[in-house]
PDB file of all heavy atoms in Angstrom:
ATOM      1  N   ARG Y  29      -7.653  -7.222  -9.727  1.00 93.00           N
ATOM      2  CA  ARG Y  29      -7.035  -6.590 -10.943  1.00 93.00           C
ATOM      3  C   ARG Y  29      -7.860  -6.784 -12.184  1.00 93.00           C
ATOM      4  O   ARG Y  29      -7.900  -5.994 -13.004  1.00 93.00           O
ATOM      5  CB  ARG Y  29      -5.664  -7.242 -11.144  1.00 93.00           C
ATOM      6  CG  ARG Y  29      -5.012  -6.722 -12.287  1.00 93.00           C
ATOM      7  CD  ARG Y  29      -3.518  -7.163 -12.447  1.00 93.00           C
ATOM      8  NE  ARG Y  29      -3.142  -6.775 -13.751  1.00 93.00           N
ATOM      9  CZ  ARG Y  29      -1.891  -7.000 -14.302  1.00 93.00           C
ATOM     10  NH1 ARG Y  29      -1.083  -7.587 -13.528  1.00 93.00           N
ATOM     11  NH2 ARG Y  29      -1.520  -6.607 -15.498  1.00 93.00           N
ATOM     12  N   PHE Y  46      -3.658  -4.669  -5.679  1.00 98.00           N
ATOM     13  CA  PHE Y  46      -3.011  -4.463  -7.036  1.00 98.00           C
ATOM     14  C   PHE Y  46      -3.026  -2.950  -7.235  1.00 98.00           C
ATOM     15  O   PHE Y  46      -4.033  -2.321  -7.070  1.00 98.00           O
ATOM     16  CB  PHE Y  46      -3.801  -5.121  -8.159  1.00 98.00           C
ATOM     17  CG  PHE Y  46      -3.976  -6.586  -7.870  1.00 98.00           C
ATOM     18  CD1 PHE Y  46      -5.083  -7.089  -7.207  1.00 98.00           C
ATOM     19  CD2 PHE Y  46      -3.053  -7.554  -8.268  1.00 98.00           C
ATOM     20  CE1 PHE Y  46      -5.286  -8.403  -7.006  1.00 98.00           C
ATOM     21  CE2 PHE Y  46      -3.085  -8.846  -8.112  1.00 98.00           C
ATOM     22  CZ  PHE Y  46      -4.286  -9.268  -7.439  1.00 98.00           C
ATOM     23  N   ILE Y  47      -1.717  -2.556  -7.461  1.00 98.00           N
ATOM     24  CA  ILE Y  47      -1.438  -1.082  -7.626  1.00 98.00           C
ATOM     25  C   ILE Y  47      -1.218  -0.774  -9.044  1.00 98.00           C
ATOM     26  O   ILE Y  47      -0.278  -1.363  -9.697  1.00 98.00           O
ATOM     27  CB  ILE Y  47      -0.372  -0.551  -6.699  1.00 98.00           C
ATOM     28  CG1 ILE Y  47      -0.735  -0.904  -5.311  1.00 98.00           C
ATOM     29  CG2 ILE Y  47      -0.059   1.039  -6.979  1.00 98.00           C
ATOM     30  CD1 ILE Y  47       0.388  -0.796  -4.309  1.00 98.00           C
ATOM     31  N   PHE Y  52       7.008   2.439 -12.675  1.00 94.00           N
ATOM     32  CA  PHE Y  52       7.451   1.531 -11.667  1.00 94.00           C
ATOM     33  C   PHE Y  52       8.743   0.715 -12.131  1.00 94.00           C
ATOM     34  O   PHE Y  52       9.272   0.196 -11.220  1.00 94.00           O
ATOM     35  CB  PHE Y  52       6.345   0.567 -11.396  1.00 94.00           C
ATOM     36  CG  PHE Y  52       5.098   1.014 -10.902  1.00 94.00           C
ATOM     37  CD1 PHE Y  52       3.832   0.323 -11.010  1.00 94.00           C
ATOM     38  CD2 PHE Y  52       5.102   2.192 -10.006  1.00 94.00           C
ATOM     39  CE1 PHE Y  52       2.637   0.918 -10.461  1.00 94.00           C
ATOM     40  CE2 PHE Y  52       3.875   2.744  -9.510  1.00 94.00           C
ATOM     41  CZ  PHE Y  52       2.762   2.115  -9.739  1.00 94.00           C
ATOM     42  N   GLY Y  53       9.109   0.932 -13.353  1.00 89.00           N
ATOM     43  CA  GLY Y  53      10.345   0.304 -13.649  1.00 89.00           C
ATOM     44  C   GLY Y  53      10.143  -1.234 -14.081  1.00 89.00           C
ATOM     45  O   GLY Y  53       8.986  -1.666 -14.129  1.00 89.00           O
ATOM     46  N   PRO Y  54      11.252  -1.921 -14.507  1.00 89.00           N
ATOM     47  CA  PRO Y  54      11.052  -3.327 -14.867  1.00 89.00           C
ATOM     48  C   PRO Y  54      10.813  -4.242 -13.746  1.00 89.00           C
ATOM     49  O   PRO Y  54      10.680  -3.818 -12.570  1.00 89.00           O
ATOM     50  CB  PRO Y  54      12.466  -3.665 -15.465  1.00 89.00           C
ATOM     51  CG  PRO Y  54      13.380  -2.709 -14.810  1.00 89.00           C
ATOM     52  CD  PRO Y  54      12.577  -1.423 -14.472  1.00 89.00           C
ATOM     53  N   THR Y  55      10.392  -5.516 -14.111  1.00 89.00           N
ATOM     54  CA  THR Y  55      10.015  -6.373 -12.990  1.00 89.00           C
ATOM     55  C   THR Y  55      11.138  -6.947 -12.204  1.00 89.00           C
ATOM     56  O   THR Y  55      10.899  -7.704 -11.275  1.00 89.00           O
ATOM     57  CB  THR Y  55       9.326  -7.777 -13.740  1.00 89.00           C
ATOM     58  OG1 THR Y  55      10.181  -8.219 -14.730  1.00 89.00           O
ATOM     59  CG2 THR Y  55       8.012  -7.221 -14.433  1.00 89.00           C
ATOM     60  N   LEU Y  60      12.141  -2.103  -7.068  1.00 94.00           N
ATOM     61  CA  LEU Y  60      11.085  -1.609  -6.186  1.00 94.00           C
ATOM     62  C   LEU Y  60      11.483  -1.582  -4.741  1.00 94.00           C
ATOM     63  O   LEU Y  60      11.942  -2.426  -4.213  1.00 94.00           O
ATOM     64  CB  LEU Y  60       9.921  -2.621  -6.330  1.00 94.00           C
ATOM     65  CG  LEU Y  60       8.680  -2.426  -5.439  1.00 94.00           C
ATOM     66  CD1 LEU Y  60       8.014  -1.047  -5.877  1.00 94.00           C
ATOM     67  CD2 LEU Y  60       7.568  -3.551  -5.743  1.00 94.00           C
ATOM     68  N   CYS Y  77       5.796  -7.264  -2.031  1.00 97.00           N
ATOM     69  CA  CYS Y  77       5.530  -6.576  -3.095  1.00 97.00           C
ATOM     70  C   CYS Y  77       6.364  -6.833  -4.293  1.00 97.00           C
ATOM     71  O   CYS Y  77       7.550  -7.168  -4.179  1.00 97.00           O
ATOM     72  CB  CYS Y  77       5.536  -4.973  -2.855  1.00 97.00           C
ATOM     73  SG  CYS Y  77       4.363  -4.457  -1.687  1.00 97.00           S
ATOM     74  N   SER Y  78       5.828  -6.856  -5.426  1.00 96.00           N
ATOM     75  CA  SER Y  78       6.711  -7.019  -6.681  1.00 96.00           C
ATOM     76  C   SER Y  78       5.990  -6.354  -7.887  1.00 96.00           C
ATOM     77  O   SER Y  78       4.717  -6.215  -7.988  1.00 96.00           O
ATOM     78  CB  SER Y  78       6.714  -8.538  -7.058  1.00 96.00           C
ATOM     79  OG  SER Y  78       5.484  -9.059  -7.226  1.00 96.00           O
ATOM     80  N   ILE Y  79       6.809  -5.941  -8.851  1.00 96.00           N
ATOM     81  CA  ILE Y  79       6.222  -5.288 -10.048  1.00 96.00           C
ATOM     82  C   ILE Y  79       5.903  -6.466 -10.909  1.00 96.00           C
ATOM     83  O   ILE Y  79       6.598  -7.283 -11.386  1.00 96.00           O
ATOM     84  CB  ILE Y  79       7.298  -4.421 -10.803  1.00 96.00           C
ATOM     85  CG1 ILE Y  79       7.733  -3.256  -9.886  1.00 96.00           C
ATOM     86  CG2 ILE Y  79       6.828  -4.009 -12.041  1.00 96.00           C
ATOM     87  CD1 ILE Y  79       8.898  -2.413 -10.280  1.00 96.00           C
ATOM     88  N   THR Y  80       4.588  -6.605 -11.234  1.00 95.00           N
ATOM     89  CA  THR Y  80       4.116  -7.789 -12.011  1.00 95.00           C
ATOM     90  C   THR Y  80       4.022  -7.467 -13.611  1.00 95.00           C
ATOM     91  O   THR Y  80       3.954  -8.423 -14.322  1.00 95.00           O
ATOM     92  CB  THR Y  80       2.748  -8.216 -11.477  1.00 95.00           C
ATOM     93  OG1 THR Y  80       1.852  -7.234 -11.497  1.00 95.00           O
ATOM     94  CG2 THR Y  80       3.003  -8.755 -10.075  1.00 95.00           C
ATOM     95  N   GLU Y  81       3.984  -6.139 -13.876  1.00 95.00           N
ATOM     96  CA  GLU Y  81       4.024  -5.835 -15.277  1.00 95.00           C
ATOM     97  C   GLU Y  81       4.698  -4.632 -15.575  1.00 95.00           C
ATOM     98  O   GLU Y  81       4.606  -3.606 -14.782  1.00 95.00           O
ATOM     99  CB  GLU Y  81       2.494  -5.632 -15.745  1.00 95.00           C
ATOM    100  CG  GLU Y  81       2.389  -5.409 -17.363  1.00 95.00           C
ATOM    101  CD  GLU Y  81       0.987  -5.443 -17.683  1.00 95.00           C
ATOM    102  OE1 GLU Y  81       0.133  -6.167 -17.230  1.00 95.00           O
ATOM    103  OE2 GLU Y  81       0.639  -4.429 -18.369  1.00 95.00           O
ATOM    104  N   HIS Y  82       5.702  -4.648 -16.360  1.00 94.00           N
ATOM    105  CA  HIS Y  82       6.615  -3.520 -16.449  1.00 94.00           C
ATOM    106  C   HIS Y  82       6.100  -2.169 -16.503  1.00 94.00           C
ATOM    107  O   HIS Y  82       5.167  -1.799 -17.136  1.00 94.00           O
ATOM    108  CB  HIS Y  82       7.293  -3.736 -17.958  1.00 94.00           C
ATOM    109  CG  HIS Y  82       8.277  -2.613 -18.179  1.00 94.00           C
ATOM    110  ND1 HIS Y  82       9.636  -2.669 -17.666  1.00 94.00           N
ATOM    111  CD2 HIS Y  82       8.355  -1.495 -18.890  1.00 94.00           C
ATOM    112  CE1 HIS Y  82      10.361  -1.582 -18.089  1.00 94.00           C
ATOM    113  NE2 HIS Y  82       9.582  -0.820 -18.775  1.00 94.00           N
ATOM    114  N   SER Y  83       6.555  -1.456 -15.386  1.00 93.00           N
ATOM    115  CA  SER Y  83       6.251  -0.033 -15.215  1.00 93.00           C
ATOM    116  C   SER Y  83       4.802   0.278 -14.809  1.00 93.00           C
ATOM    117  O   SER Y  83       4.326   1.312 -14.342  1.00 93.00           O
ATOM    118  CB  SER Y  83       6.455   0.850 -16.407  1.00 93.00           C
ATOM    119  OG  SER Y  83       7.825   1.272 -16.236  1.00 93.00           O
ATOM    120  N   THR Y  84       3.871  -0.759 -14.905  1.00 96.00           N
ATOM    121  CA  THR Y  84       2.430  -0.416 -14.617  1.00 96.00           C
ATOM    122  C   THR Y  84       1.621  -1.047 -13.554  1.00 96.00           C
ATOM    123  O   THR Y  84       0.656  -0.630 -13.132  1.00 96.00           O
ATOM    124  CB  THR Y  84       1.539  -0.569 -15.971  1.00 96.00           C
ATOM    125  OG1 THR Y  84       1.743  -1.933 -16.441  1.00 96.00           O
ATOM    126  CG2 THR Y  84       2.077   0.344 -17.182  1.00 96.00           C
ATOM    127  N   TRP Y  85       2.068  -2.251 -13.113  1.00 97.00           N
ATOM    128  CA  TRP Y  85       1.352  -2.906 -11.988  1.00 97.00           C
ATOM    129  C   TRP Y  85       2.313  -3.460 -10.962  1.00 97.00           C
ATOM    130  O   TRP Y  85       3.370  -4.019 -11.186  1.00 97.00           O
ATOM    131  CB  TRP Y  85       0.634  -4.188 -12.666  1.00 97.00           C
ATOM    132  CG  TRP Y  85      -0.626  -3.835 -13.460  1.00 97.00           C
ATOM    133  CD1 TRP Y  85      -0.722  -3.687 -14.759  1.00 97.00           C
ATOM    134  CD2 TRP Y  85      -1.950  -3.437 -12.810  1.00 97.00           C
ATOM    135  NE1 TRP Y  85      -2.066  -3.370 -15.085  1.00 97.00           N
ATOM    136  CE2 TRP Y  85      -2.803  -3.191 -13.898  1.00 97.00           C
ATOM    137  CE3 TRP Y  85      -2.331  -3.387 -11.506  1.00 97.00           C
ATOM    138  CZ2 TRP Y  85      -4.086  -2.951 -13.729  1.00 97.00           C
ATOM    139  CZ3 TRP Y  85      -3.725  -3.111 -11.445  1.00 97.00           C
ATOM    140  CH2 TRP Y  85      -4.616  -2.815 -12.369  1.00 97.00           C
ATOM    141  N   ILE Y  86       1.814  -3.264  -9.659  1.00 97.00           N
ATOM    142  CA  ILE Y  86       2.510  -3.837  -8.557  1.00 97.00           C
ATOM    143  C   ILE Y  86       1.414  -4.654  -7.763  1.00 97.00           C
ATOM    144  O   ILE Y  86       0.386  -4.358  -7.681  1.00 97.00           O
ATOM    145  CB  ILE Y  86       3.021  -2.729  -7.613  1.00 97.00           C
ATOM    146  CG1 ILE Y  86       4.155  -1.886  -8.354  1.00 97.00           C
ATOM    147  CG2 ILE Y  86       3.560  -3.255  -6.283  1.00 97.00           C
ATOM    148  CD1 ILE Y  86       4.603  -0.636  -7.604  1.00 97.00           C
ATOM    149  N   GLN Y  87       1.929  -5.766  -7.244  1.00 97.00           N
ATOM    150  CA  GLN Y  87       1.067  -6.645  -6.455  1.00 97.00           C
ATOM    151  C   GLN Y  87       1.615  -6.720  -5.111  1.00 97.00           C
ATOM    152  O   GLN Y  87       2.951  -6.848  -4.876  1.00 97.00           O
ATOM    153  CB  GLN Y  87       0.915  -8.076  -7.107  1.00 97.00           C
ATOM    154  CG  GLN Y  87       0.215  -8.951  -6.222  1.00 97.00           C
ATOM    155  CD  GLN Y  87       0.071 -10.400  -6.842  1.00 97.00           C
ATOM    156  OE1 GLN Y  87      -0.344 -10.504  -7.907  1.00 97.00           O
ATOM    157  NE2 GLN Y  87       0.430 -11.417  -6.052  1.00 97.00           N
ATOM    158  N   CYS Y  88       1.028  -6.613  -3.939  1.00 98.00           N
ATOM    159  CA  CYS Y  88       1.380  -6.756  -2.677  1.00 98.00           C
ATOM    160  C   CYS Y  88       0.399  -7.388  -1.754  1.00 98.00           C
ATOM    161  O   CYS Y  88      -0.732  -7.696  -2.167  1.00 98.00           O
ATOM    162  CB  CYS Y  88       1.441  -5.223  -2.034  1.00 98.00           C
ATOM    163  SG  CYS Y  88       2.617  -4.218  -2.846  1.00 98.00           S
TER     164      CYS Y  88
END
Side-chain angles (χ1 to χ4, degrees):
R29 180 178 168 176
F46 304 92
I47 300 165
F52 296 152
T55 58
L60 183 60
C77 296
S78 61
I79 299 169
T80 57
E81 190 174 314
H82 181 82
S83 271
T84 57
W85 284 101
I86 296 173
Q87 176 181 309
C88 297

